[in-house]
Amino acid sequence: MEHAGLHFHFNPDLIIGLRGASRFEFIQEHFVVEAGDMAVIPGGIPHREVVVERSEPFENLVISVYNETVSVQLQTDAGNGTAAVSLSEYYDAAKYQQLAQYLEEIAELSHSGDPDLRLGIKGLLLIYLSTLEAAIRRVRFSPPVEKLKISQTRRLVQEHLGDSHLGVVYLARLLHCSGDYLSNLFHRETGQRLAMHINVERIRAAMTMLRTTPLTVAEVAYATGFESQGYFSRVFKQIAQKSPLDYRRSVERSVVELEGRPRTIYAPSIG
């Protein structure tokens, strides 16, 4: 399978099929999420989503957590088989790390292939959904505009890591503000330059891919939005204090050989 167009998220996503169907394609495998299905995509797994042509319209709900924020997004068909976000909601969530851990544990249990663990998987899924509901109920539905914009910026960075156009101006256009305003706001609220934040997140994602996938350094560079492998290597060494190849070698002994399929769990029915 061609690797072009693959992307990944740093944290796991929960996918809920609402209408129609979509096909999730990985490096060596794919599966289809139908209406009523649920799927967990672990963090760091390169994939792409293609809308399956059906008589009814396509809709998926995608739930993610990043930096103390829960993101709930409605995906619809943007044409040409492409799934696009048509509606987004963001909620503060102090337990965001716990929510991400539940999904990773669900994926790990499912990947083991042990049928005796199905009850445990369902239990963890119920705990995840209950924790998520409680977090949304407690959230302030009208957070300050500036705080919301920071949360949206962090989320957009994660969503567009593989886009070579990702930058301050690109994000400002998506958020309907000026680049100077967004850059100054982000620095004031987080203490970090937005351009540096983008590079740090790209390199963190690249480190995950170097640890957990068989992709080459050039493929990792492309997947994380770098147009030049040389520039990617320079930024990587600046942030990680070693080259991409040296980093991969340093963790090779502790990396379990990949089995060729993504660690994914999907249930036949929401009910």
Side-chain angles (χ1 to χ4, degrees), residues 10-52:
F10 196 76
N11 285 333
D13 290 341
L14 175 65
I15 314 295
I16 302 176
L18 300 180
R19 294 198 294 173
S22 59
R23 184 174 65 255
F24 285 81
E25 299 178 347
F26 302 83
I27 293 175
Q28 296 180 351
E29 189 184 58
H30 74 272
F31 66 84
V32 174
V33 173
E34 305 274 359
D37 288 351
M38 302 177 74
V40 173
I41 311 296
I45 303 296
H47 65 280
R48 62 174 163 237
E49 184 178 3
V50 179
V51 176
V52 178

Side-chain angles (χ1 to χ4, degrees), residues 62-169:
V62 182
I63 303 173
S64 310
V65 290
Y66 292 96
N67 300 302
E68 300 186 10
T69 302
V70 171
S71 166
V72 181
Q73 299 184 327
L74 178 67
Q75 287 184 328
T76 56
D77 189 354
N80 299 319
T82 303
V85 176
S86 62
L87 182 65
S88 298
E89 295 287 344
Y90 299 90
Y91 306 93
D92 294 338
K95 294 185 178 180
Y96 76 103
Q97 291 179 321
Q98 188 175 346
L99 288 167
Q101 186 61 36
Y102 286 147
L103 292 186
E104 290 289 6
E105 289 178 5
I106 288 170
E108 289 284 356
L109 291 176
S110 175
H111 189 54
S112 71
D114 186 345
D116 293 335
L117 296 176
R118 292 182 63 85
L119 187 59
I121 292 170
K122 290 182 179 180
L124 276 173
L125 184 58
L126 286 173
I127 294 173
Y128 169 85
L129 292 173
S130 296
T131 305
L132 178 67
E133 180 187 19
I136 291 176
R137 285 182 179 278
R138 286 195 301 267
V139 79
R140 293 171 296 172
F141 285 93
S142 299
V145 173
E146 292 187 345
K147 183 175 181 181
L148 179 60
K149 199 169 289 292
I150 295 298
S151 296
Q152 291 173 328
T153 299
R154 291 183 185 275
R155 173 61 185 175
L156 287 170
V157 168
Q158 295 294 333
E159 288 178 354
H160 296 271
L161 280 178
D163 190 335
S164 62
H165 297 100
L166 177 63
V168 175
V169 174

Side-chain angles (χ1 to χ4, degrees), residues 177-227:
C177 63
S178 73
D180 287 342
Y181 166 78
L182 184 61
S183 181
N184 291 332
L185 173 65
F186 193 90
H187 185 245
R188 186 179 77 236
E189 294 294 321
T190 69
Q192 185 180 40
R193 296 292 180 187
L194 181 51
M196 175 57 72
H197 173 73
I198 293 170
N199 276 342
V200 168
E201 291 304 304
R202 278 177 162 159
I203 297 308
R204 286 180 63 200
M207 293 169 74
T208 297
M209 295 181 77
L210 289 168
R211 287 198 312 270
T212 62
T213 78
L215 296 178
T216 66
V217 171
E219 288 171 327
V220 170
Y222 174 79
T224 50
F226 290 91
E227 295 183 314

